[in-house]
Amino acid sequence: MEFTVHHTCNKEGGEDKVLENYPFLSEYDPKKNMKPFLGQGYYFWDFNLEYAKVWGKNHYSNKYYVCESDIDVDHEKDGFFLDLAGNRKHLVGFIELLREFDFIHKEGTEGIDLCYIIDYLRTKCPPEVFPFEVIRAVDYKNNEKIGIKVVFNNTQNSYTILNPRIIFSFKSKENIVHLTKPSIAFKS
């Protein structure tokens, strides 16, 4: 499955150094308050240059690059790609796994971070329990009015979001298959 992705990073080292080492690891270390959304990994925005810029402004003191490339994710290899943004079967399977480990209850996962859950499944369980190398999820912020909301009809409060923030996390750099050479899409 082909995706155009954006990766926000610090300008440190300049363009050549950034492109040579791209993408950069987001480390998971709760003691240092380093808790990336889906645990430790290499993160990308799924075709969302605008939000990649917001991330850079907020997390890199407005001194950042946004890199862009086309990648291929093997969605057919069993246990490789967990798509929590676009595959209902994956969502249901993940919920069942969370229930097995008693991570989920009536209120959801209140008090337990998803980054902790994924780190636990990757580091404390045998690989066959949670074999996923790539995770894709929607990023919603509590109480934030995000995206372009469009109601389905004027008699209900139901709506859809036309431009959700979707993220990818790759467990290891070796699993990122670039279809195009990464380039700098934006410089702050």
Side-chain angles (χ1 to χ4, degrees), residues 77-133:
K77 183 178 175 185
D78 195 34
F80 181 76
F81 178 38
L82 178 62
D83 188 358
L84 301 175
N87 187 313
R88 183 82 181 129
K89 257 187 179 176
H90 288 195
L91 282 165
V92 170
F94 189 62
I95 291 168
E96 288 172 4
L97 182 63
L98 296 183
R99 284 192 173 122
E100 278 182 47
F101 282 89
D102 204 26
F103 283 135
I104 197 166
H105 40 77
K106 276 199 299 192
E107 293 81 30
T109 62
E110 190 174 318
I112 305 172
D113 296 334
L114 183 58
C115 58
Y116 168 81
I117 293 169
I118 290 172
D119 181 70
Y120 180 89
L121 293 170
R122 284 184 168 162
T123 61
K124 308 279 192 270
C125 298
E128 58 271 10
V129 172
F130 195 77
F132 303 103
E133 294 288 328

Side-chain angles (χ1 to χ4, degrees), residues 148-167:
I148 299 168
K149 295 179 182 178
V150 178
V151 295
F152 290 110
N153 65 54
N154 63 0
T155 62
Q156 297 182 12
N157 289 329
S158 298
Y159 63 89
T160 191
I161 296 176
L162 297 181
N163 61 339
R165 296 186 310 233
I166 299 173
I167 55 175

